[in-house]
Amino acid sequence: MILLIFFCFSSVKKLYAHEIISNFGRTGLLEIPTAYKVKDGTLTIGGSYVYPYLRGFINVGFFPGLEMGAVITDIRNIKLKGKYWEGYGDYKDKAFFIKYQLLPEMGKFPAIAIGWDDFHGTKLLDTKYLVVSKYIDY
């Protein structure tokens, strides 16, 4: 199954030019980041719903290699308790993310990027990563 998904996404290279937005708002596949980034000057606003997470996000690509954004995640069925939280509804996680592409994909060499999700905010989903990505045409 994983191999099938890999080949499906590798065949859309010309259509999307590496810019597939994940359900977190950054470039990636579902919830997995890739080493690609959006083009400079690109602004993406969107959302996703995968139970129990309802997300709204904004993503911007500026400066060569840099991608930044913010995401608000409404976690369904988790209510906050206390007199200050009356009527607030479900728990909402607010986070910022940043990714820097160290090397773009060139010929036989893969793209390499580092990133940090939830570096500022509630830090509930704090993640640091190094990712290597390569499209393979067959």
Side-chain angles (χ1 to χ4, degrees):
M1 183 66 173
I2 299 291
L3 191 58
L4 177 63
I5 292 170
F6 175 79
F7 283 121
C8 287
F9 280 107
S10 69
S11 66
V12 298
K13 177 179 177 182
K14 294 176 182 125
L15 294 175
Y16 293 104
H18 308 308
E19 295 181 33
I20 299 170
I21 303 295
S22 71
N23 65 6
F24 272 93
R26 57 169 151 53
T27 51
L29 306 173
L30 301 174
E31 297 186 17
I32 303 169
T34 62
Y36 306 115
K37 65 171 258 1
V38 294
K39 292 179 187 170
D40 294 343
T42 301
L43 174 68
T44 305
I45 299 172
S48 68
Y49 181 66
V50 179
Y51 185 82
Y53 307 108
L54 174 63
R55 292 186 177 98
F57 56 80
I58 186 167
N59 177 333
V60 63
F62 60 97
F63 300 118
L66 186 64
E67 178 180 331
M68 296 179 74
V71 60
I72 297 175
T73 304
D74 184 272
I75 303 175
R76 301 299 169 112
N77 297 330
I78 296 179
K79 304 289 184 201
L80 296 172
K81 302 200 189 290
K83 67 178 184 176
Y84 295 110
W85 299 105
E86 281 295 317
Y88 184 74
D90 296 323
Y91 178 80
K92 293 162 187 68
D93 179 63
K94 298 137 194 106
F96 293 92
F97 61 86
I98 187 168
K99 179 166 49 171
Y100 184 72
Q101 187 181 54
L102 299 170
L103 293 171
E105 184 175 329
M106 294 181 293
K108 295 181 180 180
F109 298 101
I112 301 172
I114 56 172
W116 192 358
D117 291 349
D118 207 356
F119 67 88
H120 178 55
T122 57
K123 294 189 172 264
L124 179 65
L125 304 170
D126 182 25
T127 305
K128 297 173 190 98
Y129 59 88
L130 169 71
V131 63
V132 177
S133 300
K134 174 74 176 131
Y135 276 108
I136 299 173
D137 289 331
Y138 50 95

